[in-house]
Amino acid sequence: IPFILIYTRKVGWIKVLTGVFAVGLTIFILGSLLITPALEQRETERETFFFENPLYVGNHSIVEVLMMTLATFGFYVRMLIAPYPLVSFYGYNTFEGFQFTLNHVIGLVAIAVILWGLYKTYKHNKPIFVGLIFFCVGISMFVNLVTPAPGIVAERFVFLSSTGMALVLAELLLMLTKSQNIQRKPNFGVLPGKVLFIVIAYTGLAACIVIPRNPEWNSTYSLYKADSIKHPESTKLFSLLGTIHAQKLYKHANNLNRPDDKKSQETEEVKFTEEELKRQADTVISYYRRALQIYPDYIPVNNNLGTIYFTFKPMLDSAGYFFKRALDLDSNYVEAAYNLANFCEAKAGLALQKYNFVKWLKPDSTGTSNKKLLKEQADVLESYEPVLSKMNMLKITLGNTFRDMAEGKAKGDPKGVLLNPLLYYIKENSFLRPYAEDLRTLELADDLLAGFRSLNQQNKASYLDLAIDTIVNRYYFPVLAKAINADKKIDLTKLDPGMLTHLHGQIFRYRNQCIGLHKKTLRLSPNYVNSYGKLTAALAQWEMYEELIAMHERLEKNPKFKKQTIDFNIAETYFAMGNYKKTAEYFIDGLKQVEIIMKRLKLVQANFAAANNNYMVAAINNTRETFKGNVGYYINKFMRELANRQPFETVQIQQLYNMITSL
């Protein structure tokens, strides 16, 4: 704007510069007050990858940078003349900048023509001169000279600078029609027939290219799908296609896990049948694998592909491979460290299942171990991991079944209710399905149901775990053994004597890797709440209490973690250690924090009720109920032991609990 004012109007430099300074100062002040604080809230900058632009990686010579700049400039000129093909993302393997191509030729010719045009029009044709300057300045920041551009080139980058080229074309058209006087209408009749035909034909051809592009922008999926056909070597496009399908899988999972009373009509309902779920997962995998085929070092895609294998197939070893590859490529990649820790946790769980299964088989441990035989048998047992992994899901389902029975939600014969999940998971697995009928002759132990009926709040949690393990060991293992024996890959009666020791070592190896990776995740990202929860569970499971307490105490200083959560977790740790006095102290501290929060919630809820905002009133009420449920859980878990060991502290707890429930 200052340039145009000085060049085309009789305005002095001082006035223009004063205006520029005033505008610049205003922008600086507003930016400091409004924009900068918002930007500072971002914890990390956007990552850049080689596949987006080769100039992001490595030290490139000035010759290579200039070659890329020339190719980029030529590309933009070519696309203004012949906009084909139109693609949303270019990048690695779709644009050549270091080897001499047609874009370089067009770039050289365009620079020569523009320099000649500037020289010829400086004094005699201000619109063309201004248009050329506008085009060059507008495109200068996107030609990879000063800084690399994401995707190397992008059609949107030329949008503003195309205004300058439009000005040049408009002036040329006025010159051709001898209509440079702004008061006169353009006289197209003076154009020679051939020129008029070229203009009309060119405009029509451009319209045939551009207009069909519009429907491709109907959705992100339609856009990426169309562009992946035009540029089948774009790793980014296949990654984006995979992510779109992956998001549908996650929405499906979220809808399954969300209680019916909390499902919002505003949330997109995505529900797949078992067959649709498999097809969708296979589609995601195919797109991600294609992206990695083009660029194997694409770190997020390695991690994302591992997540799909881990969550929706499940193919644990494939998931572990891609998580590990992502972490190898970037040792500070938080998500990969967290996911690999979960993989190790799952492998430790499976090793424990194998250990329990082999122990149930009662192998002969008196002989001498044969390393070769041991490895062969261990590999065969590992091939049955997909079957064993169903046991973890079975245990979760059985736990939910027990809780439904305890709350009076389960209907029908108790034995049938407990057998149904077991039958379901056996029938679902083609390997075990032929032996599902064996379960119909079995009966659940009467003492198991008798024990369940006598459940009280104090021992419910510990009893459930024991009951579920008993069911699985008693009814799942015989069917599994029968199927494996029929498979004839291994003789379960002649297992190597060292098998239990081998599996025990496997459990501890994966356990240590899991704990180490979760620690690494928290070092890289101290606010990673999910990793904190997983690490807490792992350390508690393996009774590493001193380390668990030390971790909790460190996190107390982190404002991202709620103090009452830390207090309750420390109380639970001391409870497991049998230190009931410390349990009471931290539990009381946690309850005091909850009391403060509940008072605030009650006040806020009253304000929304006064404003007739029923939605917020209901939302806050749900939050209060969640708090009450959490407190109730710990009260039920701790009260019996605390009452026996520390009666004075228990009185305090009961008083606080009464206050909280009254709130």
Side-chain angles (χ1 to χ4, degrees), residues 262 457 562-569 571-572 586-588 590-595 597-598 601 621-639 653 656-657 660-661:
K262 292 187 178 179
Q457 295 295 339
K562 297 179 176 64
K563 190 176 186 314
Q564 73 273 7
T565 304
I566 301 291
D567 286 337
F568 287 156
N569 283 333
E572 194 162 16
Y586 278 96
F587 190 36
I588 290 169
L591 289 175
K592 287 177 179 176
Q593 295 297 319
V594 173
E595 183 182 15
I597 294 169
M598 294 289 272
L601 286 173
N621 195 54
N622 283 336
T623 304
R624 292 176 63 192
E625 289 299 320
T626 301
F627 270 112
K628 287 171 68 175
N630 291 339
V631 171
Y633 165 78
Y634 286 112
I635 286 282
N636 293 328
K637 184 168 185 177
F638 297 154
M639 188 61 69
I653 292 170
L656 282 167
Y657 182 60
I660 290 164
T661 51

Side-chain angles (χ1 to χ4, degrees), residues 136-336:
C136 292
V137 173
I139 204 65
S140 63
M141 67 187 82
F142 302 115
V143 292
N144 295 291
L145 181 61
V146 179
T147 182
I152 307 177
V153 292
E155 292 148 18
R156 64 186 182 278
F157 291 161
V158 80
F159 178 70
L160 183 62
S161 57
S162 66
T163 307
M165 197 58 72
L167 182 59
V168 171
L169 292 174
E171 178 63 12
L172 289 174
L173 189 61
L174 290 172
M175 289 170 62
L176 286 171
T177 59
K178 298 180 172 57
S179 306
Q180 285 173 282
N181 186 334
I182 200 71
Q183 302 300 325
R184 293 175 55 190
K185 293 181 180 180
N187 182 11
F188 292 101
V190 302
L191 284 175
K194 289 182 179 180
V195 175
L196 190 61
F197 173 78
I198 290 171
V199 170
I200 294 172
Y202 177 79
T203 305
L205 183 61
C208 290
I209 295 171
V210 174
I211 292 174
R213 174 65 170 166
N214 292 337
E216 293 176 357
W217 280 86
N218 180 61
S219 67
T220 50
Y221 178 76
S222 63
L223 177 67
Y224 301 149
K225 184 70 175 175
D227 290 356
S228 68
I229 296 171
K230 298 174 192 174
H231 268 322
E233 294 302 312
S234 175
T235 186
K236 180 71 172 179
L237 287 172
F238 285 102
S239 162
L240 292 168
L241 280 168
T243 300
I244 288 173
H245 284 280
Q247 286 170 346
K248 292 181 180 179
L249 287 175
Y250 296 129
K251 285 179 181 177
H252 166 83
N254 289 337
N255 282 327
L256 286 182
N257 296 329
R258 191 183 297 117
D260 291 335
D261 59 344
K262 292 187 178 179
K263 287 183 180 177
S264 169
Q265 293 181 352
E266 299 172 10
T267 305
E268 181 187 355
E269 288 289 333
V270 179
K271 287 184 180 179
F272 295 122
T273 64
E274 198 68 29
E275 200 58 40
E276 289 171 339
L277 192 65
K278 290 176 182 176
R279 282 201 303 269
Q280 193 75 8
D282 288 338
T283 301
V284 178
I285 288 169
S286 66
Y287 282 131
Y288 279 154
R289 278 194 168 276
R290 176 58 184 151
L292 292 178
Q293 185 182 3
I294 299 167
Y295 183 60
D297 293 347
Y298 197 164
I299 300 169
V301 171
N302 276 284
N303 179 66
N304 294 346
L305 180 54
T307 304
I308 299 300
Y309 276 126
F310 186 84
T311 310
F312 297 104
K313 289 303 286 182
M315 295 171 66
L316 268 186
D317 289 336
S318 295
Y321 170 81
F322 288 107
F323 291 148
K324 189 174 185 305
R325 174 149 181 78
L327 198 60
D328 288 342
L329 291 167
D330 182 359
S331 60
N332 293 327
Y333 192 38
V334 176
E335 286 79 7

Side-chain angles (χ1 to χ4, degrees), residues 310 316 341-357 385 387-393 395 469 472 477 503-504 506-512 514 538 541-542:
F310 186 84
L316 268 186
N342 289 337
F343 161 78
C344 291
E345 179 189 13
K347 290 292 281 187
L350 284 174
L352 181 61
Q353 302 286 22
K354 283 186 284 185
Y355 179 87
N356 290 334
F357 177 57
E385 278 191 352
V387 185
L388 287 161
S389 67
K390 296 288 184 184
M391 292 172 65
N392 292 326
M393 290 182 273
K395 287 182 176 183
D469 280 334
V472 171
F477 283 166
L503 292 173
H504 193 266
Q506 202 175 66
I507 293 167
F508 276 86
R509 185 173 75 252
Y510 281 120
R511 179 207 72 175
N512 292 336
C514 169
Q541 180 185 356
W542 300 102

